[in-house]
Amino acid sequence: MTLSRRSLIIAGAGALAAPAAFAAVPASSRLAFAVFRGQNKVGEHIMRFSRSGAGLLVSTEVEMRVKLGPIPVFRYAHTATERWRDDSFASLTTRTDTNGKVEQVKAEASRSGVAIEGPAGRLTAPATAAPLTHWNAAALDGPLFNPQLGKIMKVRTARAGRESVQLADGGAIPATRWTIRGEAEIDNWYDAAGAWAGLRGKLEDGSTMIYRRL
């Protein structure tokens, strides 16, 4: 199946040292990507990481704009605040504006499950569920929920092996690729330190969206 723009921007686990969430945090405490639709740059995706004791705060900002000539035909803005404690997901709040349509999601984890409220309604995901925010490969081993729509995702994930991934400056680095298939079609790459290094996703119109790390 193809991946919609709404599902894509949201917005090896076994090889990562514990705590897994902290192992995926880049040394600079920041990740930034240039976002391309086909060959055209359409925006940026920026994540900032802040540690406090056993806690981790992840802030995300995404801005995208697609133009037909000089005329904008698609606007997208997404913000998220994500909290982890040790290697466990704790909470998430998101706000997404797609061409003026605003969607919000709140999720909070407890021993009995992850309570999620969003455009899809209210539901309780398994206690091991985490949002598909891409940066933490360890989360791909468990149930995933869509951080923009607030619903459990019907996908399967697999570690696909080592290969190189292109960066925004034209260089390339060795990375591990993970595949996500089902209601989404996404490839994510993670560098030797476990930090998110790139993304490729198929859009519903058949085009391809690519993230190249800055």
Side-chain angles (χ1 to χ4, degrees):
M1 297 177 67
T2 58
L3 176 66
S4 70
R5 297 183 182 94
R6 291 156 51 96
S7 301
L8 180 59
I9 304 301
I10 25 171
L16 298 177
F22 281 19
V25 175
S28 65
S29 296
R30 183 178 183 272
L31 284 172
F33 297 86
V35 182
F36 294 83
R37 180 175 179 264
Q39 299 299 315
N40 300 316
K41 182 180 176 182
V42 295
E44 292 190 351
H45 184 129
I46 299 172
M47 307 186 83
R48 296 177 175 88
F49 301 81
S50 176
R51 309 185 200 201
S52 178
L56 175 66
L57 173 68
V58 186
S59 299
T60 299
E61 295 181 9
V62 184
E63 292 282 349
M64 293 175 51
R65 181 172 294 188
V66 177
K67 294 182 177 181
L68 185 60
I71 303 173
V73 294
F74 177 76
R75 297 183 180 90
Y76 180 95
H78 174 82
T79 59
T81 300
E82 186 178 350
R83 297 180 187 274
W84 290 69
R85 178 162 290 275
D86 296 323
D87 61 347
S88 298
F89 168 71
S91 68
L92 175 78
T93 59
T94 70
R95 183 183 188 277
T96 308
D97 185 330
T98 307
N99 287 334
K101 180 181 179 180
V102 175
E103 297 168 304
Q104 298 185 77
V105 170
K106 294 182 179 180
E108 187 166 355
S110 67
R111 291 183 179 179
S112 60
V114 179
I116 304 171
E117 183 176 355
R122 297 182 180 182
L123 59 91
T124 300
T128 54
L132 180 56
T133 47
H134 304 286
W135 64 272
N136 183 14
L140 300 179
D141 269 343
L144 297 167
F145 66 90
N146 187 310
Q148 180 175 326
L149 301 179
K151 66 177 185 178
I152 298 172
M153 299 186 70
K154 298 178 181 180
V155 293
R156 59 190 184 278
T157 64
R159 183 173 174 167
R162 299 280 290 176
E163 57 191 41
S164 64
V165 62
Q166 186 177 346
L167 302 177
D169 64 5
I173 60 172
T176 298
R177 180 166 63 96
W178 278 78
T179 62
I180 302 170
R181 298 292 186 269
E183 66 179 67
E185 186 173 327
I186 304 170
D187 294 293
N188 276 317
W189 286 265
Y190 301 88
D191 66 20
W196 187 25
L199 176 148
R200 180 178 62 217
K202 189 173 183 181
L203 298 170
E204 59 189 356
D205 63 1
S207 63
T208 300
M209 181 166 287
I210 297 173
Y211 277 34
R212 295 189 178 129
R213 198 166 74 183
L214 293 162

